[in-house]
Amino acid sequence: EPEVTQTPSHQVTQMGQEVILRCVPISNHLYFYWYRQILGQKVEFLVSFYNNEISEKSEIFDDQFSVERPDGSNFTLKIRSTKLEDSAMYFCASKGSFQETQYFGPGTRLLVL
Amino acid sequence: AQTVTQSQPEMSVQEAETVTLSCTYDTSESDYYLFWYKQPPSRQMILVIRQEAYKQQNATENRFSVNFQKAAKSFSLKISDSQLGDAAMYFCAYRSSMIGGGADGLTFGKGTHLIIQP
């Protein structure tokens, strides 16, 4: 069964550094999403992406964040200058056309020191 | 904005018994989708079951079923014949049926930690 994959599974970075989290959505999906989950809290929507542009973003998704689909398979989330409060699990999800279910990847655990 | 409330931070059930997890939501929309996701210790989010608001029939998936009460804005998950592998965090989520306009992302509740007692 096709699945969403994410790399790396864990990332440790210093405050102020840039990080890029990578996702490979399910191959025929056209809608892509990033969510984050701070430890012990609920999953929060960050951004959705369709047709090579952002279709919606939350208040969390400020100028420090950006997303890109650099090629036909990858979908990336960049955090330009990480802060301690960016430490969280980041989930990528994808959805096909005429489908309503978003399928999640295994997540990247980001720790900012 | 839509909100999702899960009032049970933790639930415990004996193996092979039935347990019901509650979820309520607030929305002014008439058409939307509701989901239950399971998050085991590995922290991967796994879809358990989905319900379309326009369908009156409650969704079922093997041992998992929902009780969808649209007027009450309630969407509970029933797990029958609980198994040790069901132990996880369970999140209720809402998505508008509107495309774009702030409707794309899922809105999650805070989750219910389900413990299965052997």
Side-chain angles (χ1 to χ4, degrees):
Chain A
E1 187 173 327
E3 55 185 26
V4 178
T5 60
Q6 290 184 242
T7 55
S9 57
H10 293 77
Q11 175 131 16
V12 181
T13 190
Q14 294 291 325
M15 189 171 58
Q17 295 297 303
E18 174 184 286
V19 296
I20 297 176
L21 310 183
R22 292 183 167 80
C23 168
V24 178
I26 293 173
S27 63
N28 60 348
H29 284 185
L30 299 178
Y31 297 83
F32 313 118
Y33 309 83
W34 283 101
Y35 293 82
R36 81 170 185 193
Q37 184 183 30
I38 295 171
L39 186 64
Q41 299 188 22
K42 66 179 178 180
V43 178
E44 300 172 291
F45 168 71
L46 292 178
V47 66
S48 58
F49 190 87
Y50 171 72
N51 199 26
N52 284 321
E53 61 182 25
I54 291 173
S55 53
E56 187 58 28
K57 58 184 180 179
S58 71
E59 293 177 351
I60 303 167
F61 194 87
D62 61 23
D63 293 343
Q64 295 296 318
F65 293 90
S66 63
V67 290
E68 192 178 31
R69 188 156 162 81
D71 53 43
S73 58
N74 288 284
F75 178 52
T76 62
L77 173 69
K78 182 192 291 186
I79 309 174
R80 250 181 286 283
S81 177
T82 50
K83 302 187 283 276
L84 296 176
E85 53 265 38
D86 293 327
S87 295
M89 193 79 158
Y90 288 82
F91 292 102
C92 173
S94 71
K95 181 177 79 70
S97 298
F98 310 113
Q99 293 180 356
E100 297 311 325
T101 298
Q102 295 178 21
Y103 293 90
F104 283 74
T108 292
R109 191 185 301 260
L110 175 66
L111 178 61
V112 182
L113 301 176
Chain B
Q2 292 81 20
T3 58
V4 176
T5 302
Q6 293 179 250
S7 59
Q8 306 153 315
E10 187 173 279
M11 291 283 285
S12 181
V13 65
Q14 291 282 98
E15 194 176 3
E17 297 294 305
T18 295
V19 64
T20 299
L21 308 183
S22 66
C23 172
T24 58
Y25 57 93
D26 187 25
T27 184
S28 58
E29 297 173 344
S30 60
D31 200 14
Y32 46 86
Y33 300 90
L34 296 164
F35 306 84
W36 278 98
Y37 281 89
K38 168 184 177 181
Q39 187 181 45
S42 66
R43 297 192 73 185
Q44 175 141 19
M45 298 288 287
I46 302 165
L47 177 71
V48 175
I49 200 164
R50 183 187 85 207
Q51 175 79 42
E52 292 88 346
Y54 63 85
K55 289 185 178 177
Q56 292 186 333
Q57 187 172 7
N58 289 324
T60 62
E61 286 287 340
N62 302 313
R63 297 183 295 106
F64 299 87
S65 62
V66 298
N67 183 5
F68 173 50
Q69 302 287 328
K70 190 172 183 180
K73 296 179 183 174
S74 170
F75 181 61
S76 60
L77 174 70
K78 185 170 85 170
I79 306 174
S80 304
D81 185 26
S82 299
Q83 300 175 0
L84 294 177
D86 295 334
M89 282 292 288
Y90 285 80
F91 291 96
C92 178
Y94 171 104
R95 179 182 176 271
S96 171
S97 66
M98 293 170 54
I99 303 299
D104 283 351
L106 294 171
T107 300
F108 284 87
K110 290 186 176 181
T112 296
H113 181 212
L114 179 63
I115 298 168
I116 310 295
Q117 306 276 8

